[in-house]
Amino acid sequence: MSTRDRIIKGLLFLAILIYYVGGYFLIGFATAHRSGIHRIALPYESQIPFVPEMIFAYLLIYAFTASAYVGIDDLAFFKKVVKSFFLCVSFHFIFFLVFPVEYTLRPSLDYGGSWLNKLIVFYYWLDPVYNCFPSLHVSNVFLVSFFFERYRKGLGKIFFPFAWLVAVSVVFVKQHYILDVVSGIFVGWLCYRIVFKPISLTKGVRIFQAPRSAP
């Protein structure tokens, strides 16, 4: 990749990062002052234990994001990555606005005790209880996993197990409902399919066309 390509790559990454972070916190702030917010916990979901050590798996999203930037050294492919992220984030923003969900199962923690407890309290403060459904956290790690499997066959075997670990962690650190996780995986897959493996409409149309008669 040339110096010019690397500059373009850096600017694209910065643009999608600003869009992601800025939009996420603005929508979260606005939702906190809205009414008609939904809660979508499944029966007995409140009985799932809080496992503070899972915060380390939860924070793997930053490793996924860095890997997507550092590990892809092809500008044309990276542009598709950014396009997929833009589509994925936009889809979530629309859902956050149209169907706002509040997470209500967080434990009551004080800013004290072990450094692990302080880390979780800090993250609870940083990330509001809104912007839950679908889980953007989960969508992102699966989207990156799909990217790498497409970019270099076999890399998905490394990334997908960690993506599943992140998906489990968001439930055990009390950040997301189970339905947030399921929908987040689906959205990540859908955005990957739209950009990297678009379904041909013409093939679908041919199914309904009458066969040509023999000459």
Side-chain angles (χ1 to χ4, degrees):
M1 186 180 290
S2 67
T3 301
R4 177 180 176 275
D5 287 351
R6 293 190 184 282
I7 293 174
I8 294 174
K9 177 184 174 183
L11 291 174
L12 288 172
F13 181 79
L14 181 62
I16 194 65
L17 192 63
I18 292 173
Y19 176 60
Y20 182 154
V21 176
Y24 185 86
F25 285 108
L26 282 174
I27 293 174
F29 177 79
T31 303
H33 298 83
R34 293 176 59 183
S35 58
I37 300 177
H38 305 277
R39 297 166 182 83
I40 57 174
L42 296 175
Y44 307 110
E45 192 168 341
S46 61
Q47 303 304 312
I48 296 175
F50 169 60
V51 183
E53 290 79 11
M54 291 297 284
I55 189 67
F56 298 114
Y58 184 84
L59 295 176
L60 282 175
I61 188 173
Y62 299 109
F64 273 81
T65 304
S67 297
Y69 178 71
V70 176
I72 297 174
D73 202 34
D74 181 286
L75 183 59
F77 191 93
F78 190 78
K79 285 180 178 179
K80 287 189 174 183
V81 169
V82 172
K83 184 178 179 180
S84 300
F85 268 124
F86 178 80
L87 182 65
C88 184
V89 173
S90 298
F91 183 90
H92 281 79
F93 284 175
I94 292 170
F95 238 100
F96 295 161
L97 291 169
V98 174
F99 188 77
V101 171
E102 178 185 11
Y103 187 81
T104 59
L105 303 179
R106 279 184 177 179
S108 179
L109 300 176
D110 296 324
Y111 190 76
S114 68
W115 63 270
L116 181 60
N117 184 78
K118 292 179 179 178
L119 175 62
I120 296 173
V121 171
F122 171 75
Y123 211 92
Y124 279 0
W125 170 80
L126 182 66
D127 195 10
V129 293
Y130 309 103
N131 296 347
C132 292
F133 179 83
S135 170
L136 186 51
H137 203 94
V138 172
S139 290
N140 284 339
V141 294
F142 275 89
L143 196 53
V144 171
S145 300
F146 285 124
F147 292 155
F148 276 108
E149 181 61 22
R150 176 83 175 193
Y151 184 64
R152 189 163 295 143
K153 194 70 175 177
L155 280 180
K157 294 179 180 179
I158 298 174
F159 282 88
F160 277 117
F162 288 104
W164 282 108
L165 181 61
V166 172
V168 171
S169 75
V170 303
V171 175
F172 283 101
V173 297
K174 300 299 181 178
Q175 282 286 87
H176 282 284
Y177 298 113
I178 292 174
L179 290 178
D180 300 340
V181 175
V182 175
S183 57
I185 294 172
F186 174 75
V187 172
W189 170 83
L190 180 63
C191 293
Y192 165 75
R193 287 286 311 199
I194 290 173
V195 175
F196 282 89
K197 288 188 172 183
I199 300 172
S200 175
L201 295 179
T202 56
K203 288 183 179 179
V205 170
R206 290 195 193 106
I207 297 174
F208 300 98
Q209 289 179 340
R212 295 182 180 180
S213 58

